[in-house]
Amino acid sequence: MTEREDPVESDRNARADGGDAGDVLVLRKGTHGMPIERYADALRERLPDQRVRLARTPDAEREAIANAEFVTGMVLEERVLEEATELAVFACAYAGTGHLPLDRLAERNVTVTNASGVHGPNIGEHVVGAILRFTRRFHVGARRQRRREWRHYQANELEGSTVTIVGLGAIGRAVCDRLEPFGVETIGVRYSPEKGGPTDEVIGFEDDPFHAALARTDYLVLACPLTETTRGLVDRAAFVTLDPGAVVVNVARGPVVDTDALVDALRSNWIRGASLDVTDPEPLPEEHPLWNFGNVQITPHNAGHTPMYYERLADVVAENARRFAAEGADATLENRVRL
């Protein structure tokens, strides 16, 4: 069997029968239609002194994880976790970790890290693109082009607008950085406003300051994790508070927005439009009314796609792998998730 045919492969053609703290095991699921081999190769480039193994079948995953201490992947299935008797670190290849068996991992004292920061540039560009689409009304121009209709329409300017960014993590900061040249005022919303941030103003999630911000908002950007606080954050009351000229851009999670309230807001002209990369439910059913609004842009959870995904992810995971190999359980790891 060749190295590529080996279901558990490494750059040294090593089998899965001898793991140590210098090993990194990559699980088989890829993302965004990009082969997982690219991720393994990116890790190997950054870890020439360590062994990177790639498990390409379910059986190979269960075999290889039995003695693996440092594992990385998009998902960690329960039946795979059952075999992970030596697991010390799971480096999740997504920014979100809600799909992982976090309680089980906590019980076993497994350190979990995530891919926070990997999406900053691409999602930041997606948000700015969505804002410019509504500002210059490119969707109107596209409709008239399809009709071969040469007829002028009114547009807007982004300069002087107020953009409220909910969530000031890596994505929120990237959005703020990319908006700076446009001459906008920015309001950031975060759990600890006393920490400040890159926006002109920072507030918390309390009703009074949040609604005061909504009343001034031209573009509401949702870039926060889904938590008990943010679930249903943009509800009927929020839509009523927003100015009728406001646009909602959601690159967070679908349930951050109350979908029924959004549909009502669009039907009643409470807002100018919405750009949705995420929806609730997701995928959005074919018969859902959101598909039919001319002032709604829908992308299929696609803002996270970038050809640089594995490269940026490998930068973070390789550094953590080096630290773990050198210091073991005492290592300070980037993007550690509180369990």
Side-chain angles (χ1 to χ4, degrees):
M1 184 178 286
T2 65
E3 180 180 351
R4 180 58 63 187
E5 292 168 337
D6 192 339
V8 182
E9 62 168 65
S10 86
D11 52 341
R12 299 173 187 173
N13 199 26
R15 299 296 300 190
D17 53 5
D20 57 42
D23 284 1
V24 175
L25 175 63
V26 180
L27 301 182
R28 75 184 194 281
K29 186 183 184 302
T31 191
H32 298 306
M34 298 183 293
I36 194 64
E37 283 83 2
R38 294 185 189 176
Y39 178 35
D41 289 342
L43 286 171
R44 289 165 184 153
E45 290 175 3
R46 291 158 176 77
L47 298 169
D49 297 326
Q50 295 180 232
R51 182 173 67 162
V52 177
R53 300 181 291 163
L54 172 59
R56 289 297 287 113
T57 68
D59 285 345
E61 285 183 336
R62 290 192 294 272
E63 175 191 355
I65 206 170
N67 55 16
E69 296 182 64
F70 192 105
V71 177
T72 182
M74 311 291 164
V75 298
L76 183 57
E77 298 174 354
E78 289 281 357
R79 59 180 180 173
V80 176
L81 179 58
E82 288 294 333
E83 304 297 328
T85 57
E86 304 297 324
L87 183 62
V89 176
F90 182 73
C92 182
Y94 290 137
T97 56
H99 62 289
L100 298 177
L102 297 177
D103 291 343
R104 296 282 311 282
L105 291 166
E107 290 172 1
R108 299 172 62 166
N109 294 318
V110 175
T111 296
V112 177
T113 64
N114 65 18
S116 177
V118 171
H119 284 307
N122 48 292
I123 296 185
E125 291 173 4
H126 182 100
V127 168
V128 172
I131 289 174
L132 289 174
R133 176 183 186 269
F134 278 94
T135 300
R136 300 307 302 169
R137 302 187 72 198
F138 291 135
H139 55 297
V140 176
R143 282 202 303 269
R144 296 190 181 182
Q145 180 180 351
R146 287 195 299 270
R147 297 170 184 167
R148 302 182 183 182
E149 180 183 2
W150 186 275
R151 183 161 62 91
H152 288 272
Y153 57 90
Q154 293 183 332
N156 302 291
E157 284 191 5
L158 182 54
E159 185 172 7
S161 299
T162 298
V163 181
T164 296
I165 304 168
V166 181
L168 292 181
I171 293 171
R173 293 194 302 272
V175 171
C176 191
D177 290 344
R178 283 154 181 77
L179 286 173
E180 185 174 0
F182 289 95
V184 300
E185 292 292 318
T186 53
I187 303 171
V189 184
R190 66 183 306 177
Y191 288 104
S192 304
E194 67 276 3
K195 293 181 179 179
T199 50
D200 298 309
E201 182 181 342
V202 182
I203 63 170
F205 284 96
E206 296 81 7
D207 280 348
D208 287 346
F210 183 60
H211 275 262
L214 293 181
R216 300 160 47 197
T217 295
D218 298 296
Y219 296 92
L220 176 62
V221 177
L222 305 174
C224 53
L226 179 62
T227 66
E228 291 184 6
T229 299
T230 61
R231 183 179 294 275
L233 177 71
V234 185
D235 55 9
R236 181 183 178 85
F239 285 118
V240 171
T241 300
L242 282 167
D243 188 273
V247 172
V248 175
V249 181
N250 191 3
V251 291
R253 288 293 184 268
V256 173
V257 175
D258 182 323
T259 301
D260 290 341
L262 172 61
V263 171
D264 289 344
L266 291 163
R267 285 175 171 162
S268 303
N269 293 318
W270 293 347
I271 59 173
R272 178 154 54 102
S275 175
L276 309 174
D277 189 57
V278 291
T279 60
D280 181 28
E282 187 176 309
L284 195 64
E286 290 184 17
E287 68 278 6
H288 201 281
L290 281 173
W291 288 113
N292 299 318
F293 288 102
N295 57 343
V296 174
Q297 177 190 38
I298 297 175
T299 50
H301 210 139
N302 209 64
H305 180 266
T306 168
M308 296 301 295
Y309 189 90
Y310 288 147
E311 296 295 322
R312 295 192 189 116
L313 175 63
D315 286 339
V316 176
V317 174
E319 176 58 28
N320 282 341
R322 281 190 288 267
R323 294 181 186 181
F324 179 73
E327 304 171 40
D330 296 329
T332 300
L333 304 182
E334 295 182 34
N335 290 354
R336 184 165 182 167
V337 177
R338 292 184 181 180
L339 301 182

